[in-house]
mmCIF file of all heavy atoms in Angstrom:
data_model
loop_
_atom_site.group_PDB
_atom_site.id
_atom_site.type_symbol
_atom_site.label_atom_id
_atom_site.label_comp_id
_atom_site.label_asym_id
_atom_site.label_seq_id
_atom_site.Cartn_x
_atom_site.Cartn_y
_atom_site.Cartn_z
ATOM 1 N N PRO H 196 167.434 177.139 8.803
ATOM 2 C CA PRO H 196 168.370 178.076 8.367
ATOM 3 C C PRO H 196 169.051 178.934 9.392
ATOM 4 O O PRO H 196 170.170 179.234 9.305
ATOM 5 C CB PRO H 196 167.466 178.927 7.412
ATOM 6 C CG PRO H 196 166.480 178.007 6.894
ATOM 7 C CD PRO H 196 166.132 177.155 8.043
ATOM 8 N N GLU H 197 168.242 179.247 10.527
ATOM 9 C CA GLU H 197 168.830 179.995 11.562
ATOM 10 C C GLU H 197 169.860 179.262 12.382
ATOM 11 O O GLU H 197 170.460 179.826 13.269
ATOM 12 C CB GLU H 197 167.716 180.552 12.489
ATOM 13 C CG GLU H 197 166.752 179.397 12.940
ATOM 14 C CD GLU H 197 165.462 179.449 12.104
ATOM 15 O OE1 GLU H 197 165.556 179.453 10.836
ATOM 16 O OE2 GLU H 197 164.405 179.390 12.745
ATOM 17 N N ASP H 198 170.040 177.901 12.142
ATOM 18 C CA ASP H 198 171.114 177.144 12.791
ATOM 19 C C ASP H 198 172.455 177.414 12.054
ATOM 20 O O ASP H 198 173.459 176.889 12.520
ATOM 21 C CB ASP H 198 170.794 175.692 12.772
ATOM 22 C CG ASP H 198 169.618 175.351 13.645
ATOM 23 O OD1 ASP H 198 169.433 175.916 14.729
ATOM 24 O OD2 ASP H 198 168.741 174.445 13.225
ATOM 25 N N THR H 199 172.404 178.078 10.914
ATOM 26 C CA THR H 199 173.598 178.316 10.154
ATOM 27 C C THR H 199 174.634 179.157 11.059
ATOM 28 O O THR H 199 174.320 180.189 11.576
ATOM 29 C CB THR H 199 173.352 179.087 8.942
ATOM 30 O OG1 THR H 199 172.574 178.280 8.066
ATOM 31 C CG2 THR H 199 174.700 179.482 8.195
ATOM 32 N N ALA H 200 175.882 178.560 11.232
ATOM 33 C CA ALA H 200 176.847 179.252 12.038
ATOM 34 C C ALA H 200 178.141 178.485 12.006
ATOM 35 O O ALA H 200 178.178 177.281 11.603
ATOM 36 C CB ALA H 200 176.398 179.346 13.524
ATOM 37 N N VAL H 201 179.212 179.029 12.611
ATOM 38 C CA VAL H 201 180.399 178.254 12.862
ATOM 39 C C VAL H 201 180.208 177.644 14.325
ATOM 40 O O VAL H 201 179.917 178.288 15.236
ATOM 41 C CB VAL H 201 181.696 179.085 12.953
ATOM 42 C CG1 VAL H 201 182.830 178.266 13.293
ATOM 43 C CG2 VAL H 201 181.863 179.705 11.497
ATOM 44 N N TYR H 202 180.379 176.318 14.440
ATOM 45 C CA TYR H 202 180.170 175.599 15.638
ATOM 46 C C TYR H 202 181.559 175.286 16.310
ATOM 47 O O TYR H 202 182.432 174.740 15.736
ATOM 48 C CB TYR H 202 179.378 174.363 15.441
ATOM 49 C CG TYR H 202 177.925 174.588 15.216
ATOM 50 C CD1 TYR H 202 177.501 175.177 14.123
ATOM 51 C CD2 TYR H 202 176.929 174.279 16.217
ATOM 52 C CE1 TYR H 202 176.096 175.396 13.876
ATOM 53 C CE2 TYR H 202 175.635 174.561 16.086
ATOM 54 C CZ TYR H 202 175.196 175.134 14.844
ATOM 55 O OH TYR H 202 173.843 175.407 14.657
ATOM 56 N N TYR H 203 181.619 175.635 17.612
ATOM 57 C CA TYR H 203 182.887 175.402 18.373
ATOM 58 C C TYR H 203 182.606 174.517 19.536
ATOM 59 O O TYR H 203 181.531 174.488 20.141
ATOM 60 C CB TYR H 203 183.387 176.707 18.945
ATOM 61 C CG TYR H 203 183.728 177.770 17.967
ATOM 62 C CD1 TYR H 203 182.799 178.654 17.437
ATOM 63 C CD2 TYR H 203 185.018 177.892 17.452
ATOM 64 C CE1 TYR H 203 183.067 179.682 16.611
ATOM 65 C CE2 TYR H 203 185.338 178.902 16.544
ATOM 66 C CZ TYR H 203 184.362 179.780 16.045
ATOM 67 O OH TYR H 203 184.619 180.771 15.157
ATOM 68 N N CYS H 204 183.635 173.642 19.903
ATOM 69 C CA CYS H 204 183.594 172.930 21.208
ATOM 70 C C CYS H 204 184.561 173.567 22.115
ATOM 71 O O CYS H 204 185.607 174.130 21.670
ATOM 72 C CB CYS H 204 183.795 171.418 20.962
ATOM 73 S SG CYS H 204 185.406 170.990 20.410
ATOM 74 N N ALA H 205 184.327 173.405 23.405
ATOM 75 C CA ALA H 205 185.171 173.978 24.412
ATOM 76 C C ALA H 205 185.205 173.003 25.489
ATOM 77 O O ALA H 205 184.328 172.231 25.900
ATOM 78 C CB ALA H 205 184.620 175.329 24.866
ATOM 79 N N ALA H 206 186.300 173.091 26.319
ATOM 80 C CA ALA H 206 186.501 172.100 27.517
ATOM 81 C C ALA H 206 187.097 172.810 28.620
ATOM 82 O O ALA H 206 187.849 173.881 28.496
ATOM 83 C CB ALA H 206 187.387 170.989 26.989
ATOM 84 N N VAL H 207 186.859 172.284 29.822
ATOM 85 C CA VAL H 207 187.512 172.740 31.004
ATOM 86 C C VAL H 207 187.708 171.556 31.996
ATOM 87 O O VAL H 207 186.707 170.780 32.103
ATOM 88 C CB VAL H 207 186.743 173.926 31.624
ATOM 89 C CG1 VAL H 207 185.387 173.516 32.105
ATOM 90 C CG2 VAL H 207 187.564 174.571 32.851
ATOM 91 N N LYS H 208 188.742 171.475 32.717
ATOM 92 C CA LYS H 208 188.935 170.454 33.650
ATOM 93 C C LYS H 208 188.213 170.697 34.992
ATOM 94 O O LYS H 208 188.617 171.711 35.676
ATOM 95 C CB LYS H 208 190.413 170.131 33.950
ATOM 96 C CG LYS H 208 190.804 168.888 34.652
ATOM 97 C CD LYS H 208 192.326 168.743 34.688
ATOM 98 C CE LYS H 208 192.720 167.369 35.283
ATOM 99 N NZ LYS H 208 194.205 167.208 35.262
ATOM 100 N N ARG H 209 187.207 169.874 35.292
ATOM 101 C CA ARG H 209 186.392 170.144 36.496
ATOM 102 C C ARG H 209 186.025 168.812 37.217
ATOM 103 O O ARG H 209 186.284 167.852 36.640
ATOM 104 C CB ARG H 209 185.119 170.900 36.103
ATOM 105 C CG ARG H 209 185.394 172.304 35.677
ATOM 106 C CD ARG H 209 185.959 173.224 36.789
ATOM 107 N NE ARG H 209 186.049 174.636 36.314
ATOM 108 C CZ ARG H 209 186.818 175.559 36.929
ATOM 109 N NH1 ARG H 209 187.492 175.273 37.999
ATOM 110 N NH2 ARG H 209 186.813 176.795 36.361
ATOM 111 N N GLU H 210 185.411 168.896 38.392
ATOM 112 C CA GLU H 210 185.051 167.783 39.085
ATOM 113 C C GLU H 210 183.798 167.109 38.405
ATOM 114 O O GLU H 210 183.093 167.695 37.630
ATOM 115 C CB GLU H 210 184.653 168.163 40.512
ATOM 116 C CG GLU H 210 183.387 168.968 40.697
ATOM 117 C CD GLU H 210 183.670 170.500 40.556
ATOM 118 O OE1 GLU H 210 184.724 170.886 40.074
ATOM 119 O OE2 GLU H 210 182.764 171.215 40.845
ATOM 120 N N SER H 211 183.549 165.837 38.917
ATOM 121 C CA SER H 211 182.413 165.200 38.303
ATOM 122 C C SER H 211 181.116 165.898 38.611
ATOM 123 O O SER H 211 180.949 166.377 39.646
ATOM 124 C CB SER H 211 182.389 163.794 38.932
ATOM 125 O OG SER H 211 181.325 163.021 38.519
ATOM 126 N N GLY H 212 180.180 165.961 37.605
ATOM 127 C CA GLY H 212 178.857 166.532 37.756
ATOM 128 C C GLY H 212 178.809 167.956 37.421
ATOM 129 O O GLY H 212 177.761 168.584 37.446
ATOM 130 N N TRP H 213 179.931 168.654 37.069
ATOM 131 C CA TRP H 213 179.993 170.017 36.778
ATOM 132 C C TRP H 213 179.781 170.276 35.265
ATOM 133 O O TRP H 213 180.329 169.601 34.428
ATOM 134 C CB TRP H 213 181.375 170.615 37.205
ATOM 135 C CG TRP H 213 181.455 172.123 37.155
ATOM 136 C CD1 TRP H 213 181.167 172.953 38.118
ATOM 137 C CD2 TRP H 213 181.819 172.865 35.993
ATOM 138 N NE1 TRP H 213 181.462 174.242 37.643
ATOM 139 C CE2 TRP H 213 181.916 174.209 36.427
ATOM 140 C CE3 TRP H 213 182.276 172.480 34.706
ATOM 141 C CZ2 TRP H 213 182.250 175.242 35.469
ATOM 142 C CZ3 TRP H 213 182.653 173.546 33.838
ATOM 143 C CH2 TRP H 213 182.545 174.821 34.203
ATOM 144 N N LEU H 214 179.086 171.397 34.978
ATOM 145 C CA LEU H 214 178.979 171.844 33.636
ATOM 146 C C LEU H 214 178.501 173.312 33.724
ATOM 147 O O LEU H 214 177.970 173.797 34.740
ATOM 148 C CB LEU H 214 177.995 171.105 32.771
ATOM 149 C CG LEU H 214 176.477 170.866 33.167
ATOM 150 C CD1 LEU H 214 175.721 172.141 32.920
ATOM 151 C CD2 LEU H 214 175.847 169.725 32.382
ATOM 152 N N THR H 215 178.728 174.041 32.635
ATOM 153 C CA THR H 215 178.233 175.489 32.575
ATOM 154 C C THR H 215 177.891 175.831 31.190
ATOM 155 O O THR H 215 178.261 175.268 30.199
ATOM 156 C CB THR H 215 179.487 176.372 32.988
ATOM 157 O OG1 THR H 215 178.976 177.738 33.083
ATOM 158 C CG2 THR H 215 180.614 176.271 32.083
ATOM 159 N N SER H 216 176.996 176.877 31.104
ATOM 160 C CA SER H 216 176.573 177.489 29.833
ATOM 161 C C SER H 216 177.349 178.721 29.517
ATOM 162 O O SER H 216 177.021 179.318 28.417
ATOM 163 C CB SER H 216 175.112 177.757 29.919
ATOM 164 O OG SER H 216 174.723 178.683 30.854
ATOM 165 N N SER H 217 178.247 179.074 30.352
ATOM 166 C CA SER H 217 179.030 180.352 30.125
ATOM 167 C C SER H 217 180.315 180.123 29.388
ATOM 168 O O SER H 217 181.043 179.177 29.719
ATOM 169 C CB SER H 217 179.320 181.040 31.422
ATOM 170 O OG SER H 217 180.213 182.153 31.249
ATOM 171 N N ARG H 218 180.574 180.814 28.370
ATOM 172 C CA ARG H 218 181.733 180.648 27.594
ATOM 173 C C ARG H 218 183.032 181.006 28.477
ATOM 174 O O ARG H 218 184.064 180.545 28.148
ATOM 175 C CB ARG H 218 181.761 181.438 26.268
ATOM 176 C CG ARG H 218 181.841 182.937 26.565
ATOM 177 C CD ARG H 218 181.873 183.653 25.161
ATOM 178 N NE ARG H 218 181.989 185.093 25.213
ATOM 179 C CZ ARG H 218 180.989 185.952 25.487
ATOM 180 N NH1 ARG H 218 179.796 185.541 25.608
ATOM 181 N NH2 ARG H 218 181.258 187.265 25.497
ATOM 182 N N LEU H 219 182.818 181.840 29.508
ATOM 183 C CA LEU H 219 183.888 182.159 30.399
ATOM 184 C C LEU H 219 184.344 180.977 31.258
ATOM 185 O O LEU H 219 185.338 181.025 31.850
ATOM 186 C CB LEU H 219 183.484 183.378 31.252
ATOM 187 C CG LEU H 219 183.170 184.700 30.445
ATOM 188 C CD1 LEU H 219 182.834 185.708 31.497
ATOM 189 C CD2 LEU H 219 184.376 185.088 29.628
ATOM 190 N N GLY H 220 183.518 179.965 31.334
ATOM 191 C CA GLY H 220 183.851 178.825 32.164
ATOM 192 C C GLY H 220 184.805 177.806 31.441
ATOM 193 O O GLY H 220 185.223 176.873 32.033
ATOM 194 N N TYR H 221 185.107 177.994 30.202
ATOM 195 C CA TYR H 221 185.987 177.108 29.454
ATOM 196 C C TYR H 221 187.224 177.801 29.147
ATOM 197 O O TYR H 221 187.295 178.967 28.794
ATOM 198 C CB TYR H 221 185.206 176.712 28.089
ATOM 199 C CG TYR H 221 183.905 175.976 28.423
ATOM 200 C CD1 TYR H 221 182.677 176.692 28.434
ATOM 201 C CD2 TYR H 221 183.869 174.529 28.663
ATOM 202 C CE1 TYR H 221 181.572 176.008 28.673
ATOM 203 C CE2 TYR H 221 182.743 173.912 28.855
ATOM 204 C CZ TYR H 221 181.591 174.627 28.918
ATOM 205 O OH TYR H 221 180.332 173.930 29.209
ATOM 206 N N ASN H 222 188.349 177.003 29.067
ATOM 207 C CA ASN H 222 189.611 177.586 28.737
ATOM 208 C C ASN H 222 190.376 176.982 27.676
ATOM 209 O O ASN H 222 191.511 177.331 27.279
ATOM 210 C CB ASN H 222 190.535 177.605 29.962
ATOM 211 C CG ASN H 222 190.688 176.293 30.682
ATOM 212 O OD1 ASN H 222 190.136 175.232 30.224
ATOM 213 N ND2 ASN H 222 191.488 176.188 31.744
ATOM 214 N N TYR H 223 189.651 175.977 26.997
ATOM 215 C CA TYR H 223 190.209 175.361 25.787
ATOM 216 C C TYR H 223 189.165 175.290 24.689
ATOM 217 O O TYR H 223 188.027 174.958 24.952
ATOM 218 C CB TYR H 223 190.648 173.879 26.118
ATOM 219 C CG TYR H 223 191.791 173.761 27.070
ATOM 220 C CD1 TYR H 223 191.486 173.429 28.364
ATOM 221 C CD2 TYR H 223 193.094 174.006 26.727
ATOM 222 C CE1 TYR H 223 192.542 173.381 29.387
ATOM 223 C CE2 TYR H 223 194.130 173.916 27.667
ATOM 224 C CZ TYR H 223 193.884 173.655 28.985
ATOM 225 O OH TYR H 223 194.844 173.560 29.910
ATOM 226 N N TRP H 224 189.553 175.733 23.500
ATOM 227 C CA TRP H 224 188.631 175.848 22.408
ATOM 228 C C TRP H 224 189.165 175.304 21.120
ATOM 229 O O TRP H 224 190.365 175.357 20.832
ATOM 230 C CB TRP H 224 188.350 177.380 22.159
ATOM 231 C CG TRP H 224 187.542 178.046 23.273
ATOM 232 C CD1 TRP H 224 188.053 178.543 24.444
ATOM 233 C CD2 TRP H 224 186.202 178.237 23.369
ATOM 234 N NE1 TRP H 224 187.125 179.023 25.193
ATOM 235 C CE2 TRP H 224 185.892 178.872 24.523
ATOM 236 C CE3 TRP H 224 185.127 177.946 22.454
ATOM 237 C CZ2 TRP H 224 184.597 179.283 24.940
ATOM 238 C CZ3 TRP H 224 183.761 178.311 22.825
ATOM 239 C CH2 TRP H 224 183.598 178.972 24.071
ATOM 240 N N GLY H 225 188.283 174.740 20.293
ATOM 241 C CA GLY H 225 188.635 174.308 18.994
ATOM 242 C C GLY H 225 188.567 175.435 18.014
ATOM 243 O O GLY H 225 188.215 176.607 18.346
ATOM 244 N N GLN H 226 188.878 175.206 16.751
ATOM 245 C CA GLN H 226 188.913 176.147 15.705
ATOM 246 C C GLN H 226 187.503 176.313 15.044
ATOM 247 O O GLN H 226 187.359 177.353 14.274
ATOM 248 C CB GLN H 226 189.988 175.835 14.668
ATOM 249 C CG GLN H 226 191.372 175.992 15.194
ATOM 250 C CD GLN H 226 191.681 177.282 15.722
ATOM 251 O OE1 GLN H 226 191.564 178.330 15.024
ATOM 252 N NE2 GLN H 226 192.082 177.434 17.025
ATOM 253 N N GLY H 227 186.614 175.507 15.207
ATOM 254 C CA GLY H 227 185.290 175.532 14.660
ATOM 255 C C GLY H 227 185.068 174.853 13.386
ATOM 256 O O GLY H 227 186.013 174.577 12.651
#
């Protein structure tokens, strides 16, 4: 039940091997 939420995906153009857990690292977002 605690998984209940609106889920969003986000993207950012970066080099191979890069990823981040910070929402500030992404500049494109879906509507959820």
Side-chain angles (χ1 to χ4, degrees):
E197 50 262 47
D198 294 319
T199 296
V201 176
Y202 284 71
Y203 300 87
C204 66
V207 64
K208 192 173 186 177
R209 295 294 186 195
E210 70 275 12
S211 179
W213 188 94
L214 59 76
T215 183
S216 60
S217 173
R218 67 179 186 275
L219 298 179
Y221 300 93
N222 56 359
Y223 297 100
W224 293 83
Q226 293 299 305

